[in-house]
């Protein structure tokens, strides 16, 4: 089958979180399974752009309301990522350094989607599936079906994957003029709660809707930022497919970011060496259990409870644990972590920012990974942690609930708790510190986790079946 993935992120070109990882890996494994998979994304000004070779594939023009724009589609020439990669350039809109966070993000991503359908309608052949990811691409299924100029695309089946329903891309009705000549009778297919809602529109218009774990799919029906009724109504076409991880990028035996590699057999010594190098760099004691947090410092991740939870755990364990935090996000949370560095020297340290290399070293060197997430559609961090023999300490929600089994259960290897609260995190750290003393138990859990199969190879088939159901 020929599958066109449309996304705002794709690792290693541009990644703000797990969406980038998924769109950088799923197409690669679809190609390995015998499909033709292509990725189309905006052309940001990233390092990857400057370091690789490109050819111009197409030049076109369209309108965003009254604004006429020209766009260029470029293609990476060497198949470096294992799939065809196309970037759409729109001067003045997409050519920025960051993926998100600009005042005109609505215009940027709407124009990107218009350019995409405009370009696709010039193709002589039709792909078998257009697979869109998250709200930045949520208007594509609507435009393919109900914009007069793109009528040619109306028979191509679409799949929409929700990686995060917290963000929906709502815009006022005044912006409906951005959407190229469309069938006004279909207004309801754009609308949710009196606004144009790209996420809701995609749920209504796409042939199938998926999200990235079974539990999150269930949660959306009672907690999805106001879209609960829609998920209930559309439940017949919605399903959960758990994300995989790219075992080639995330392999402790070959990881290019690590200096000390290890495997299931050498996990205890291998992790200890990685831990020593991390602890040396951050002034922590490698003899104590090392807890890490890696992620966006936002409410969804319950990052704001961590400063107090860590302080409380340091107090309760009498300084018997060390902590290292990597992340960026809300200023107050960043500030709270920075304020802890001096008073808790030797026990706590933090890097505020985004650092791919350090994140790999932390998965490899840590004993425990903290994830108190309030909302976690899938969560890749815990799966990376497991692959690197790091015990996940997670709140029972979404994908965390589907991938982590508490060590109190048969074949358990992680720690689960129910509330995103200081006391639950503190208590769970206490459980972790106790089990850390039992070296044999730790080794058994590590070896067990490392062998769990979260590979994309075993997940790709589920998407194939879904696509086939639409042919
Ligand atoms: P989300 O997409 O909600 O942020 P995921 O668990 O799906 O959460 O994926 C997060 C991805 O982003 C992981 O690959 C993680 O290692 C990475 N990541 C998050 N924050 C940082 C950071 N500050 N530095 C490096 N990598 C990070
Ligand atoms: C989102 C979710 C995260 C998920 C990722 C990839 O960013 O917050 O839980 O793992 O997308 O699907």
């Amino acid at each position: 089958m020929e599958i066109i993935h449309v996304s705002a992120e794709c690792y290693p070109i541009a990644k703000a979180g797990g969406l980038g990882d998924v769109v950088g890996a799923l197409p690669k494994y679809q190609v390995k399974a015998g499909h033709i998979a292509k990725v189309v994304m905006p052309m940001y000004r990233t390092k990857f752009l400057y370091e690789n070779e490109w050819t111009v594939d197409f030049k076109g023009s369209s309108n965003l309301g009254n604004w006429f724009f020209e766009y260029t589609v470029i293609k990476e020439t060497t198949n470096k990522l294992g799939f065809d990669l196309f970037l759409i350039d729109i001067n003045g809109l997409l050519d920025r350094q960051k993926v998100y966070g600009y005042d005109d993000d609505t215009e940027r991503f709407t124009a990107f989607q218009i350019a995409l359908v405009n370009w696709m309608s010039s193709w002589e052949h039709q792909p078998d599936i257009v697979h869109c990811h998250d709200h930045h691409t949520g208007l594509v299924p609507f435009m393919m079906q109900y914009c007069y100029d793109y009528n040619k695309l109306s028979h191509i089946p679409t799949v929409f994957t929700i990686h995060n329903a917290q963000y929906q891309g709502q815009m006022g009705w005044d912006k409906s003029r951005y959407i190229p000549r469309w069938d006004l009778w279909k207004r309801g297919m754009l609308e949710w709660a009196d606004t144009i809602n790209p996420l809701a529109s995609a749920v209504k218009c796409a042939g199938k809707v998926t999200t990235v774990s079974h539990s999150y799919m269930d949660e959306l029906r009672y907690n999805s930022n106001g879209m609960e009724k829609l998920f209930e109504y559309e439940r017949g076409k919605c399903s959960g497919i758990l994300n995989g991880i790219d075992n080639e990028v995330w392999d402790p035996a070959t990881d290019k970011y690590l200096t000390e590699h290890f495997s299931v057999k050498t996990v205890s010594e291998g992790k200890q060496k990685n831990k020593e190098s991390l602890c040396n760099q951050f002034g922590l004691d490698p003899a104590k259990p090392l807890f890490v947090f890696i992620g966006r410092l936002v409410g969804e991740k319950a990052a704001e409870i961590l400063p107090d939870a860590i302080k409380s755990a340091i107090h309760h364990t009498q300084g018997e644990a060390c902590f290292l935090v990597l992340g960026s996000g809300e200023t107050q949370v960043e500030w709270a972590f920075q304020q802890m560095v001096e008073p808790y020297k030797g026990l706590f340290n933090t890097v505020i920012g985004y650092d791919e290399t350090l994140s790999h070293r932390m998965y490899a060197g840590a004993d425990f990974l903290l994830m108190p997430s309030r909302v976690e559609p899938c969560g890749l961090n815990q799966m990376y942690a497991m692959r690197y023999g790091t015990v996940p300490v997670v709140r029972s929600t979404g994908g965390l609930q589907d991938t982590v089994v508490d060590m109190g259960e048969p074949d358990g290897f992680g720690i689960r708790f129910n509330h995103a609260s200081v006391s639950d995190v503190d208590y769970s750290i206490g459980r972790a510190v106790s089990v850390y003393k039992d070296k044999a138990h730790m080794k058994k859990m590590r070896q067990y986790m490392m062998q769990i199969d979260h590979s994309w190879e075993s997940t790709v088939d589920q998407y194939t079946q879904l696509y086939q159901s639409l042919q």
Side-chain angles (χ1 to χ4, degrees), residues 15 17-18 21 295-296 301 326-327 353-355 363 379-381 384:
K15 161 174 164 182
D21 284 349
R296 296 179 290 122
K301 304 284 177 193
L326 167 63
Y354 190 93
D355 188 336
Y363 291 117
L380 299 173
N381 295 20
Y384 297 148

Side-chain angles (χ1 to χ4, degrees), residues 7 93 109 256 268 271 296 341 347 353 357 364 369 437 456:
S7 171
L93 268 193
F109 290 111
K256 64 175 180 181
S268 305
K271 282 187 75 68
R296 296 179 290 122
V341 175
L347 294 173
T357 307
L369 174 90
K437 292 178 191 139
W456 275 112

Side-chain angles (χ1 to χ4, degrees), residues 103-308:
D103 289 343
D104 57 353
D105 278 356
T106 298
E107 285 71 19
R108 297 172 69 227
F109 290 111
T110 308
F112 164 67
Q113 295 175 82
I114 294 171
L116 169 88
V117 288
N118 189 284
W119 172 46
M120 277 179 44
S121 64
S122 76
W123 296 359
E124 274 162 23
H125 78 290
Q126 294 207 330
D128 297 299
I129 289 286
V130 173
H131 188 156
C132 300
H133 299 264
D134 270 354
H135 77 83
H136 322 94
T137 64
L139 294 173
V140 171
F142 177 90
M143 292 199 282
M144 286 172 61
Q145 285 164 70
Y146 304 122
C147 286
Y148 297 114
D149 300 341
Y150 308 125
N151 204 259
K152 194 183 155 193
L153 308 175
S154 63
H155 299 296
I156 305 174
T158 51
V159 168
F160 183 68
T161 296
I162 300 172
H163 297 260
N164 195 337
Q166 298 297 108
Y167 307 99
Q168 303 179 357
Q170 296 98 327
M171 56 182 106
W173 274 105
D174 55 321
K175 301 205 168 163
S176 62
R177 65 196 153 83
Y178 288 165
I179 303 170
R181 295 189 317 117
W182 52 282
D183 179 352
L184 296 177
W185 288 100
K186 297 291 186 264
R187 185 186 157 103
M189 301 303 260
L190 287 171
E191 176 160 17
W192 192 253
D194 293 332
T195 62
I196 296 178
N197 183 318
L199 192 86
S201 172
V203 172
K204 292 177 186 188
C205 300
K208 292 279 180 195
V209 176
T210 69
T211 186
V212 287
S213 69
H214 296 282
S215 291
Y216 187 58
M217 192 77 255
D218 294 339
E219 279 171 29
L220 289 176
R221 286 195 282 274
Y222 58 87
N223 179 17
S224 51
N225 252 348
M227 274 179 43
E228 298 77 10
K229 283 207 175 102
L230 181 62
F231 284 111
E232 185 57 45
Y233 184 73
E234 297 285 8
R235 66 188 298 170
K237 63 162 143 163
C238 295
S239 60
I241 300 181
L242 190 71
N243 283 333
I245 60 172
D246 190 334
N247 277 345
E248 289 175 358
V249 176
W250 298 92
D251 181 354
T254 55
D255 190 323
K256 64 175 180 181
Y257 297 111
L258 303 185
T259 45
E260 295 293 340
H261 293 120
F262 60 93
S263 61
V264 176
K265 273 196 183 145
T266 58
V267 59
S268 305
E269 314 86 74
K271 282 187 75 68
Q272 188 59 26
K273 284 185 190 150
N274 280 284
K275 182 175 173 184
E276 279 162 13
S277 120
L278 261 186
C279 288
N280 282 341
Q281 184 181 349
F282 291 100
L284 305 169
D285 181 354
K288 295 177 180 170
L290 176 63
F291 292 78
V292 298
F293 173 89
I294 301 165
R296 296 179 290 122
L297 303 179
V298 296
E300 264 171 69
K301 304 284 177 193
E304 84 292 348
I305 65 167
L306 282 176
D308 282 347

Side-chain angles (χ1 to χ4, degrees), residues 351-394:
V351 172
I352 301 298
Y354 190 93
D355 188 336
E356 193 72 30
T357 307
L358 179 59
S359 74
H360 284 244
R361 291 181 55 219
M362 286 168 72
Y363 291 117
D367 297 300
F368 300 95
L369 174 90
L370 296 172
M371 277 185 94
S373 310
R374 290 199 173 83
V375 183
E376 198 60 83
C378 175
L380 299 173
N381 295 20
Q382 82 281 11
M383 295 200 264
Y384 297 148
M386 291 180 216
R387 179 121 168 97
Y388 285 64
T390 299
V391 177
V393 180
V394 306

